[in-house]
Amino acid sequence: VADSIEVLSQGMPVEMNFDVLIVDEIQDIASGDSMDFLEFLIETASAPKLRFFGDPEYQKLYFNQSGSRDSLLQRFPLLVPFHLWSNCRNRPEFENLIEGLCDFKGLYKRFRLPSAGPIMNYATYRNESEKIPQMEGALEALLRDFLPGEIVVLGEELFIERRSFSQSLAGRFYESDEIVVERTKILSTTVRKFKGLEAKAVLIHDFNASMDTELLYAAITRAIEKIVFIGRAEETMLVASKLLPR
């Protein structure tokens, strides 16, 4: 994040300041030099308008952001916090999934989308040689209901390279750095790189019970309609079987 801001500031004319500043995922930059840079952008405005959007409670993925909300209010004391109680992305069935896997309760009061039946499935493998075949089976099942561009494969830290799959599937993939607005293929990337985006169907590979809850929450909430977990049998079944019979 700091590197991105440095690049942006270097390419910006010194005299360029703004009257309105809108920042998404503000919790990711709500500290240190980043706040100095935001202040620089509005320092000449007589009455700057600030609109910050973020989730400092449940999606702190990049560094120690435990005080990000307080840092914002100290730096910009006139900010008025509002809580987003309406879920605008996920089906209502995701609420039980989030509570069961992340232990985050009472996040939403309403959902924009209607209920649409089961949203979760899972597959397990006993060793690495079984992982890709299980993923291929899960992807083939998703492709019966969704277009390739509506599917995303997410990993905790690593993404699965397209060459790992059979020839028929490999040609349907983008890889980690090929995130585009109009996707026509399945995207394989990491949770952090896909944070803030969405897909109708999400497959999370290498799922495990010790996965960071905020990272898992970010991964789950990328999915609009369907989510599939794939992980080692002993860990995945321990968690997933509590939520959905195989």
Side-chain angles (χ1 to χ4, degrees):
V1 175
D3 291 342
S4 299
I5 290 177
E6 181 179 354
V7 171
L8 178 61
S9 61
Q10 288 175 351
M12 183 177 295
V14 175
E15 69 276 8
M16 185 177 289
N17 289 116
F18 302 90
D19 297 313
V20 179
L21 182 62
I22 301 174
V23 182
D24 196 14
E25 306 292 352
I26 187 64
Q27 77 277 0
D28 293 337
I29 59 172
S31 63
D33 295 341
S34 303
M35 291 292 94
D36 294 337
F37 180 66
L38 294 183
E39 283 196 322
F40 162 75
L41 293 177
I42 57 171
E43 64 180 0
T44 63
S46 58
K49 296 180 180 180
L50 307 178
R51 300 292 186 269
F52 295 157
F53 301 88
D55 187 353
E57 295 181 64
Y58 301 106
Q59 294 193 59
K60 306 182 295 292
L61 304 187
Y62 288 97
F63 50 85
N64 182 10
Q65 302 160 307
S66 57
S68 60
R69 182 192 293 271
D70 293 338
S71 297
L72 277 173
L73 293 175
Q74 289 171 8
R75 187 65 71 98
F76 304 103
L78 297 182
L79 282 179
V80 179
F82 290 92
H83 193 107
L84 179 63
W85 291 109
S86 296
N87 184 307
C88 299
R89 173 181 293 138
N90 314 113
R91 298 286 184 187
E93 290 81 3
F94 278 85
E95 185 170 30
N96 290 335
L97 186 60
I98 292 167
E99 289 187 3
L101 293 182
C102 305
D103 199 30
F104 295 163
K105 296 179 172 63
L107 298 187
Y108 316 112
K109 291 184 178 179
R110 62 188 66 85
F111 288 78
R112 182 177 64 86
L113 297 177
S115 296
I119 49 94
M120 172 188 160
N121 208 340
Y122 68 95
T124 64
Y125 56 89
R126 292 167 296 180
N127 52 62
E128 287 296 311
S129 65
E130 295 181 348
K131 181 169 74 172
I132 296 300
Q134 289 283 41
M135 290 182 67
E136 290 187 339
L139 287 170
E140 292 290 358
L142 288 175
L143 285 167
R144 289 195 286 269
D145 297 317
F146 302 97
L147 297 172
E150 297 174 333
I151 302 171
V152 170
V153 177
L154 297 179
E156 183 175 5
E157 299 293 341
L158 302 173
F159 69 93
I160 302 294
E161 295 181 346
R162 78 183 98 199
R163 64 183 181 182
S164 302
F165 297 101
S166 64
Q167 187 174 359
S168 60
L169 269 178
R172 297 183 173 190
F173 268 86
Y174 293 116
E175 289 183 358
S176 180
D177 293 324
E178 298 178 291
I179 295 179
V180 293
V181 176
E182 297 294 335
R183 294 192 304 271
T184 58
K185 298 181 181 180
I186 301 169
L187 172 66
S188 177
T189 187
T190 64
V191 178
R192 287 181 174 86
K193 286 190 175 184
F194 202 65
K195 183 170 176 275
L197 303 175
E198 63 184 34
K200 285 190 175 181
V202 169
L203 184 152
I204 301 175
H205 63 84
D206 295 314
F207 171 69
N208 62 81
S210 60
M211 192 172 178
D212 178 80
T213 53
E214 293 189 10
L215 193 69
L216 179 58
Y217 171 71
I220 291 172
T221 53
R222 299 312 94 202
I224 299 173
E225 297 183 11
K226 191 80 173 181
I227 190 160
V228 178
F229 297 97
I230 294 184
R232 288 190 174 274
E234 60 273 17
E235 295 191 23
T236 306
M237 290 185 68
L238 177 65
V239 178
S241 62
K242 298 178 182 179
L243 301 168
L244 177 74
R246 183 74 185 271

